[in-house]
Amino acid sequence: MSAAALMLAAWAVEALLGWPQWLYRLIRHPVVWLGTGISWLERAFNEPSWPHAARYVAGALSSLFAISATTALAFAISRALPDTILGWTIEALLASSLIASRSLYTHVAAVARPLSAYDLAGARTAVSQIVGRDPAQLDEPGVARAALESLAENASDGVTAPLFWGALFGLPGLAAYKAVNTLDSMIGHRTDRYAAFGGFAARLDDVANLVPARLTGLAFAAMSGSTSALRTMLRDASHHRSPNAGWPEAAMAGALGIRLSGPRLYGDRVSDEPWLNAAAPDPTPDTLKRGLRLYLRAMVLLALLLAAAALARSLA
């Protein structure tokens, strides 16, 4: 089975089944295991008394170790499995755990439901599960904006990027990307504790997401039914603090005719971010529902592209 076909099969499993709660309770999740290892490395080697350069090198070496160990394990599993339907099935099941299209939709839909029912407290609780900003400070447009930004960015990080690297390099490529992305989410922060130790991981994540973020933005634009998404993405993506997140977020903003990003509160710190599609109005609960529909259409387009890649590989 080609790597693209393996990713298509893994994605189908994930979209249909996700990671069941009973299985999570039984064995947790591969990303949880990975996170446990990263936490151990951070506690062991992120020494606050060391100078910035030493902490950066320690973080880089720790990150490379985590990525190498994860990739080597995935490679060993992939090589050990027989080249049969049973082997392909097991590999697809393992790969499915590292894709997050179903869980992303579920988490954002959990925000849309109470928001549409004018239950701001319930919507704030739901959005706190997917964003880092203080939900108590968010009004109705703020909750909708946070959920849409998470939907756009994580469509790239949680779906397109894993599939992209998996289609190129199989299960090892998928696992390597997941290690990079998990490192970034855990230690790639611009805080006193992580700025030095997680600096290498953050830059590596930027590189790993360069192509997937733009692919995701183009998928949103292509399935939006208008040229506004593409125009907004090309105009505003570079305004975002991230070299990658601005692409799917700006495309989402243009497609839905609303503004995203802008100033936000993290704890007691205000992050004065520029607006994407600044002249447009704030999102509403209905906008969030439209965003979920756009997400599904974009995922269908990506699935078709992946299927075409798998077919081309089989005919080569």
Side-chain angles (χ1 to χ4, degrees), residues 1-308:
M1 178 181 284
S2 71
L6 173 65
M7 290 303 105
L8 192 63
W11 194 8
V13 171
E14 188 274 334
L16 290 172
L17 303 177
W19 190 258
Q21 282 298 316
W22 66 265
L23 187 57
Y24 182 86
R25 289 191 296 268
L26 182 65
I27 61 171
R28 295 297 183 182
H29 188 277
V31 175
V32 175
W33 310 337
L34 177 59
T36 300
I38 294 170
S39 293
W40 183 88
L41 289 168
E42 193 273 331
R43 290 193 304 270
F45 299 108
N46 187 13
E47 176 52 58
S49 64
W50 291 353
H52 184 281
R55 294 175 72 188
Y56 185 92
V57 171
L61 293 174
S62 297
S63 297
L64 289 173
F65 175 80
I67 296 164
S68 299
T70 303
T71 307
L73 177 61
F75 181 78
I77 292 172
S78 182
R79 289 296 298 268
L81 290 171
D83 190 17
T84 63
I85 292 178
L86 177 60
W88 301 335
T89 300
I90 294 172
E91 193 166 7
L93 287 171
L94 292 172
S96 72
S97 68
L98 303 179
I99 306 166
S101 63
R102 182 186 179 96
S103 63
L104 176 57
Y105 182 91
T106 300
H107 279 93
V108 176
V111 180
R113 285 190 293 271
L115 200 63
S116 297
Y118 306 103
D119 177 10
L120 182 57
R124 283 171 170 169
T125 298
V127 84
S128 70
Q129 304 299 310
I130 56 175
V131 299
R133 68 199 72 169
D134 182 3
Q137 304 296 323
L138 297 177
D139 56 8
E140 183 180 275
V143 170
R145 191 162 54 244
L148 285 167
E149 289 165 8
S150 180
L151 178 64
E153 181 176 2
N154 285 295
S156 175
D157 292 0
V159 187
T160 308
L163 292 169
F164 174 80
W165 291 107
L168 287 179
F169 302 111
L171 182 62
L174 172 59
Y177 170 77
K178 205 64 182 180
V180 170
N181 190 242
T182 305
L183 281 160
D184 178 64
S185 67
M186 293 183 67
I187 64 174
H189 308 297
R190 298 172 185 173
T191 62
D192 291 341
R193 178 173 178 174
Y194 296 120
F197 188 81
F200 177 82
R203 299 294 78 77
L204 194 59
D205 185 74
D206 288 343
V207 173
N209 282 293
L210 278 173
V211 174
R214 287 149 182 81
L215 283 176
T216 306
L218 287 172
F220 285 146
M223 302 308 288
S224 68
S226 75
T227 60
S228 177
L230 182 61
R231 290 199 310 269
T232 303
M233 181 178 70
L234 295 176
R235 184 191 67 219
D236 291 351
S238 61
H239 299 167
H240 201 281
R241 69 190 183 281
S242 164
N244 296 316
W247 292 83
E249 288 187 26
M252 178 76 76
L256 300 177
I258 46 92
R259 64 178 183 172
L260 291 176
S261 195
R264 72 277 309 278
L265 186 65
Y266 293 99
D268 58 355
R269 179 178 62 87
V270 176
S271 181
D272 191 18
E273 307 291 343
W275 290 101
L276 303 175
N277 206 23
D282 283 320
T284 65
D286 181 66
T287 313
L288 185 50
K289 292 180 179 179
R290 291 196 292 120
L292 283 166
R293 292 195 292 270
L294 176 62
Y295 165 76
L296 290 177
R297 294 197 300 272
M299 294 302 101
V300 169
L301 175 59
L302 290 175
L304 291 174
L305 292 174
L306 190 58

